[in-house]
Amino acid sequence: MQVEHLFNFQLDNFQLEAIGHLEEGRSVVVCAPTGSGKTVVAEYAVECALRSNQRCFYTTPLKALSNQKFHDFRQKYGDERVGLLTGDISINRDASIVVMTTEVFRNMLYGTILGDVRRNVHDVSFVVLDECHYMNDSERGTVWEESIIYAPKDIQLIALSATIANAEELTTWIDEIHGPTSLVISTFRPVPLRFHYFGDRRIYPLLSPGRGLNMQLKSRFGNRKRFAGQQRKRLVTALSPASGDVLAVLSSRNMLPGIYFLFSRRGCEEAMQKARGIPLVNHEEELLLRERIAAFVKENPALANHPYLPYLHEGMSVHHAGMLPSWKAMVEKLFQQGLLKVVFATETLAAGINMPARTTVISSLTKRDDQGHRYLTGSEFLQMSGRAGRRGMDEVGHVVVLHHPFESVDDGAKLATAPADPLKSQFTPSYGMVLNLLQRHSEDEARDLIERSFGQFVTNQQLEPLFVQQLSWEQELERLSHPLCPGELGDLPLYGKRLQAVHAKNKQLKQTEKGVRGGKGGGEEEAQAVLLKLRAEMKDMLNEAYAMPCHGCPVQKPCSKQTERIRHLESRKRDLSKRIERETTRYWRTFEALANILRLEGYLQGNTPTKLGEAAAAIRGTNELFLCEVVFSGCLDDLQPAEFAAVMTTIVSEEGRLQDAVRVRVSPAVELVLQDIQKIGRKIWRQQRDFDVEIPVEFSPVLAGLTEMWASGASWDEMRNATIYDEGDVVRSMRRTVDLCRQFMRSPGISDNLLRLCGDVERLVYRNEVREDI
């Protein structure tokens, strides 16, 4: 195919190289910076599929990204040729181009509720795995590994990733478990980045021409403060740059629009509030903003009373997971249209949809996570800084690191020049994986699939020195197995044991003689009889030892050393074999432990899923066994639909940022069921402890009362007034509730009552702000 005719611009070398590999029938891994044009390779695969009457699947990690790609492809290829699958939305699933979340593709490969695997992927010649670096995600990364492991080998994979340290390792793994795969790496950025440091209301170059720290900053900002507690907080507030000052300087230097990254929702909102009054938009832009905001609010009435609407009119906004989805959608569109000049965002935006800016501001080099306070990783800094610089619009992108009284300016320079982090496997066997694999595969086939994971591949590579050592010892043992004996073959270990027995008998004899001399041996005749017996036994033992070929053998000493070396090597080899066995069977041992728990609970009969197991195989969650035990226990059968919705919210919610907040009360019927859920959770936790399984058994009633309110017909304004929780969290929990109900509705063998309750929940909850638009 003539590549030049497909694109109206000249392709970069790495794009041409990747396309060349595809034309040779190989899969390809493309690692390149954000905004470098990786998707051109995917678009070429789409064109190839269309021109050969084949199909192409385009997978993304986020529904928002899938929706965006869906619209882009429809605009280019027409509605009839493009489909969308995102779990809750199915549009034209048999189209030539189908955009989907990676979870949907993985579920297709399991084959259960989504139909036969071969039917699901019929005529598919290419699968694009966009944002493949999501394999690093601790919660969802396993989905990418499973997708690659289970994908039919006649499908060419196009894995698009941001820069990672171990791209070659990833490519080798895909090549081994899927088929011929090539790696294409590009470090070229079409829009180069320039790094700055902001302090004392001024912008300084962060790096020297040699890419080291600008030493002027060292003398000016080199001293880090060291305080704790409230004093530290006051100093951070007093000595860190104010957001208004930062925006004023950026605006004066024509460095907007920008994304201002902070690491807390509250921090985003406070920074926006402090920046109010900075003139960011001109009169014409202000009129356009008013017009488009009014139109958007008309389509989304829940935004009419939003407290942050006035900030939008000034050209600024916040964007984080706690905001309403409709609010975030409006912010994204206004920013893409150039009407918003700054968005204060958490780092989730760095991995989100297409929102490039001229400048990114990084407010801190440290962040807090589950393990405490830590510095950003190289990949996290790259992901945020990569948002700067719009191809075709900016000659250079700007990354501004803000001065922080408790952070070293040296660390800013180090992060600006730090390489990306390696991908780490997040592959984790789950109850759903066990049921799905045993539903379609034998135990041996399931083990083979489990042991193909990237995690196992990396482990095996790390164990390579141990395999070499093991082989070396085996070869040495083989050499030592040839005896040194010149005549009759002796048994030196046995000879040594007999001599040790003689020494022990001699010691016993001397102790007995000493006792007789001291008068402790009883009668004279009896003592003498004991001594005679001991001497006779020792003489017989000596004769036995002396009669062996090893006695007096001229090579006894070297033979003894050889025997001792063999004993030592065999001991070391046993220990090494145990370690290798432990490391190479780690995932399989977890798989077997999960299977044993499922057998105890009646989900497996031997290695075959029971009716209950077939129903559970259709469910996806952190702990599928817990979800199914709650729903199939019978404790929910007598609930009303709104009450049932509240309980389902409880089991899809995790104890986290909301656990200390005051929750809206639920009805008495729900409170009683929560007690049953606690008992079920404790039972599963004990079983997992006994089998050394670490899968969370989490549930939280914090948002259940709000779901019950919403399912009972409350308006969104009533919901907003009833809670202190962020609206985005509330919407997300209710969407998860609806998603779980839909999964059970598709589950085979579900009772008519449960089917009705799940359907009622979907109808009552999936409305207005909770409904997802595409």
Side-chain angles (χ1 to χ4, degrees):
M1 188 187 301
Q2 293 294 317
V3 178
E4 298 80 12
H5 300 318
L6 297 180
F7 303 99
N8 56 3
F9 53 87
Q10 185 174 355
L11 298 189
D12 296 330
N13 288 337
F14 85 91
Q15 295 166 332
L16 291 170
E17 182 185 349
I19 287 170
H21 291 309
L22 291 179
E23 289 178 337
E24 293 170 1
R26 303 173 66 84
S27 295
V28 66
V29 175
V30 182
C31 289
T34 303
S36 59
K38 295 186 292 288
T39 53
V40 166
V41 182
E43 290 167 6
Y44 177 79
V46 170
E47 290 283 353
C48 285
L50 293 176
R51 295 186 181 216
S52 57
N53 291 320
Q54 297 287 300
R55 304 171 69 212
C56 179
F57 285 174
Y58 196 109
T59 74
T60 79
L62 304 171
K63 289 182 180 179
L65 280 171
S66 292
N67 293 341
Q68 189 176 58
K69 274 293 169 190
F70 172 67
H71 288 299
D72 292 345
F73 283 141
R74 273 198 159 187
Q75 189 173 2
K76 185 173 182 178
Y77 297 110
D79 293 359
E80 302 78 16
R81 304 177 84 177
V82 183
L84 176 68
L85 290 172
T86 59
D88 53 344
I89 296 173
S90 177
I91 299 172
N92 200 12
R93 62 173 291 169
D94 293 319
S96 299
I97 310 164
V98 184
V99 184
M100 64 189 71
T101 53
T102 316
E103 277 86 353
V104 169
F105 178 59
R106 187 274 311 270
N107 296 345
M108 278 186 167
L109 298 175
Y110 275 142
T112 51
I113 57 172
L114 292 178
D116 177 72
V117 175
R118 279 292 160 190
R119 184 200 172 281
N120 287 335
V121 296
H122 74 91
D123 295 333
V124 175
S125 55
F126 298 96
V127 171
V128 178
L129 298 168
D130 201 358
E131 308 284 352
C132 196
H133 50 270
Y134 261 75
M135 276 178 66
N136 254 350
D137 188 274
S138 59
E139 294 181 3
R140 301 171 59 214
T142 184
V143 173
W144 276 259
E145 286 190 58
E146 292 174 57
S147 298
I148 293 168
I149 292 168
Y150 307 145
K153 294 190 175 184
D154 58 345
I155 291 177
Q156 288 176 254
L157 301 178
I158 299 97
L160 307 180
S161 172
T163 307
I164 55 174
N166 57 341
E168 192 168 326
E169 193 173 47
L170 173 67
T171 306
T172 304
W173 170 65
I174 298 175
D175 187 88
E176 284 191 12
I177 63 111
H178 181 75
T181 306
S182 296
L183 171 64
V184 177
I185 295 179
S186 173
T187 57
F188 173 72
R189 282 190 59 94
V191 182
L193 295 181
R194 190 172 295 162
F195 294 90
H196 310 271
Y197 194 80
F198 187 98
D200 291 344
R201 299 185 178 183
R202 289 181 56 192
I203 283 184
Y204 303 85
L206 176 62
L207 303 176
S208 66
R211 301 291 287 175
L213 173 67
N214 176 6
M215 297 312 294
Q216 180 186 358
L217 298 178
K218 184 77 172 176
S219 58
R220 194 175 185 91
F221 302 104
N223 296 322
R224 259 191 298 186
K225 312 293 184 192
R226 298 189 181 276
F227 295 93
Q230 290 300 318
Q231 191 176 10
R232 178 187 174 106
K233 291 181 180 178
R234 286 195 296 271
L235 279 171
V236 169
T237 303
L239 300 179
S240 296
S243 54
D245 292 340
V246 176
L247 291 186
V249 172
L250 294 181
S251 179
S252 68
R253 297 179 62 150
N254 195 29
M255 291 171 66
L256 296 178
I259 300 175
Y260 198 121
F261 285 111
L262 301 105
F263 298 104
S264 72
R265 300 176 183 182
R266 184 178 175 183
C268 291
E269 292 164 8
E270 288 179 349
M272 180 183 69
Q273 290 162 354
K274 291 176 181 177
R276 192 171 186 186
I278 303 294
L280 299 176
V281 294
N282 58 37
H283 180 66
E284 184 180 342
E285 288 171 331
E286 185 178 351
L287 293 177
L288 269 175
L289 271 170
R290 291 189 180 280
E291 177 187 325
R292 292 182 185 175
I293 292 170
F296 209 93
V297 168
K298 187 175 181 181
E299 294 175 8
N300 300 269
L303 301 180
N305 299 317
H306 200 287
Y308 294 150
L309 272 178
Y311 297 90
L312 278 182
H313 292 106
E314 295 188 24
M316 65 180 74
S317 181
V318 289
H319 189 294
H320 58 65
M323 307 304 292
L324 274 175
S326 55
W327 174 270
K328 289 192 292 184
M330 175 171 62
V331 169
E332 289 159 11
K333 288 183 179 178
L334 292 174
F335 191 83
Q336 289 163 355
Q337 293 166 2
L339 295 176
L340 289 186
K341 302 305 178 182
V342 63
V343 170
F344 297 89
T346 55
E347 63 180 317
T348 53
L349 182 63
I353 67 166
N354 182 30
M355 277 183 66
R358 180 169 295 164
T359 297
T360 58
V361 177
I362 299 177
S363 62
S364 174
L365 301 177
T366 60
K367 60 178 283 190
R368 185 175 296 280
D369 62 12
D370 295 338
Q371 281 71 49
H373 218 67
R374 64 167 178 83
Y375 270 90
L376 300 176
T377 66
S379 287
E380 287 170 336
F381 189 90
L382 273 173
Q383 194 75 31
M384 288 184 283
S385 59
R387 285 286 175 184
R390 300 165 296 176
R391 190 168 190 171
M393 299 177 68
D394 299 320
E395 292 184 2
V396 65
H398 301 280
V399 181
V400 180
V401 176
L402 300 189
H403 172 67
H404 193 288
F406 298 100
E407 295 171 359
S408 166
V409 66
D410 295 273
D411 292 321
K414 288 175 184 175
L415 278 172
T417 55
D421 304 310
L423 279 185
K424 294 181 181 178
S425 172
Q426 306 296 336
F427 184 79
T428 309
S430 65
Y431 292 108
M433 184 188 295
V434 172
L435 292 168
N436 278 284
L437 288 183
L438 292 180
Q439 198 166 356
R440 297 179 50 236
H441 300 280
S442 67
E443 186 178 32
D444 289 341
E445 290 171 337
R447 179 167 187 168
D448 178 61
L449 288 168
I450 291 295
E451 292 180 346
R452 291 187 198 177
S453 72
F454 184 55
Q456 191 64 67
F457 173 81
V458 172
T459 297
N460 291 346
Q461 285 199 321
Q462 292 169 345
L463 293 175
E464 190 66 32
L466 300 188
F467 289 124
V468 172
Q469 182 66 75
Q470 185 182 47
L471 179 61
S472 172
W473 285 345
E474 288 172 351
Q475 290 171 343
E476 186 176 354
L477 283 169
E478 174 64 25
R479 290 194 302 272
L480 294 174
S481 65
H482 303 295
L484 299 175
C485 301
E488 183 183 351
L489 187 65
D491 188 341
L492 190 59
L494 180 58
Y495 175 70
K497 288 178 182 177
R498 286 182 175 176
L499 287 180
Q500 288 173 358
V502 169
H503 291 313
K505 185 64 70 174
N506 187 46
K507 185 177 180 180
Q508 183 185 1
L509 176 61
K510 288 182 178 179
Q511 287 174 342
T512 304
E513 287 174 339
K514 185 178 179 181
V516 169
R517 285 195 299 271
K520 299 179 182 179
E524 182 69 23
E525 292 183 5
E526 183 181 345
Q528 290 299 324
V530 170
L531 289 174
L532 286 172
K533 182 181 178 184
L534 286 174
R535 290 185 184 114
E537 288 175 351
M538 191 173 76
K539 183 178 180 181
D540 290 341
M541 293 168 68
L542 274 171
N543 289 336
E544 275 187 333
Y546 290 165
M548 294 183 69
C550 295
H551 184 66
C553 178
V555 294
Q556 186 188 108
K557 190 170 183 180
C559 189
S560 176
K561 288 183 178 179
Q562 176 176 309
T563 303
E564 178 60 25
R565 178 62 178 167
I566 290 173
R567 186 195 65 76
H568 175 72
L569 285 177
E570 287 180 338
S571 174
R572 295 287 301 274
K573 184 170 169 284
R574 279 194 301 273
D575 292 342
L576 185 63
S577 296
K578 288 178 182 177
R579 180 181 172 187
I580 291 173
E581 173 73 11
R582 187 169 59 249
E583 291 296 325
T584 55
T585 61
R586 177 162 55 104
Y587 296 110
W588 181 246
R589 290 199 311 274
T590 302
F591 187 97
E592 287 184 312
L594 295 174
N596 286 331
I597 295 173
L598 289 168
R599 291 184 188 103
L600 286 175
E601 292 301 316
Y603 290 79
L604 282 176
Q605 181 69 43
N607 287 325
T608 305
T610 61
K611 292 293 184 185
L612 193 59
E614 290 176 359
I619 307 304
R620 303 285 177 269
T622 302
N623 192 317
E624 297 92 347
L625 177 61
F626 174 60
L627 297 176
C628 292
E629 283 292 279
V630 170
V631 173
F632 296 146
S633 66
C635 66
L636 314 184
D637 291 353
D638 296 328
L639 296 178
Q640 296 300 309
E643 296 168 340
F644 184 83
V647 172
M648 296 298 269
T649 293
T650 298
I651 60 177
V652 297
S653 300
E654 301 170 356
E655 293 287 353
R657 59 181 294 120
L658 304 176
Q659 61 183 349
D660 296 325
V662 178
R663 64 184 175 98
V664 175
R665 292 184 63 84
V666 293
S667 63
V670 174
E671 290 286 4
L672 289 173
V673 171
L674 292 181
Q675 297 175 19
D676 294 329
I677 292 176
Q678 284 185 320
K679 294 176 184 175
I680 293 169
R682 282 196 297 267
K683 180 189 72 170
I684 293 175
W685 181 86
R686 285 194 296 268
Q687 286 180 329
Q688 292 187 169
R689 178 198 60 194
D690 294 343
F691 282 93
D692 196 24
V693 168
E694 297 181 358
I695 296 180
V697 183
E698 294 182 329
F699 61 96
S700 171
V702 171
L703 298 174
L706 290 170
T707 300
E708 190 171 359
M709 269 184 67
W710 183 249
S712 299
S715 69
W716 195 257
D717 281 339
E718 290 172 328
M719 296 281 287
R720 184 183 284 145
N721 293 331
T723 181
I724 60 172
Y725 309 136
D726 285 344
E727 294 171 291
D729 292 328
V730 177
V731 169
R732 190 160 45 255
S733 75
M734 289 196 282
R735 286 180 175 177
R736 287 178 177 174
T737 299
V738 171
D739 179 63
L740 183 61
C741 286
R742 285 170 171 164
Q743 290 185 48
F744 277 107
M745 289 168 69
R746 294 193 293 262
S747 179
I750 189 173
S751 70
D752 291 341
N753 185 48
L754 280 176
L755 188 64
R756 177 185 58 78
L757 284 170
C758 288
D760 287 343
V761 170
E762 180 182 33
R763 177 176 53 81
L764 295 171
V765 175
Y766 198 65
R767 60 185 176 89
N768 299 343
E769 285 305 314
V770 179
R771 177 179 288 277
E772 292 187 73
D773 296 320
I774 60 169

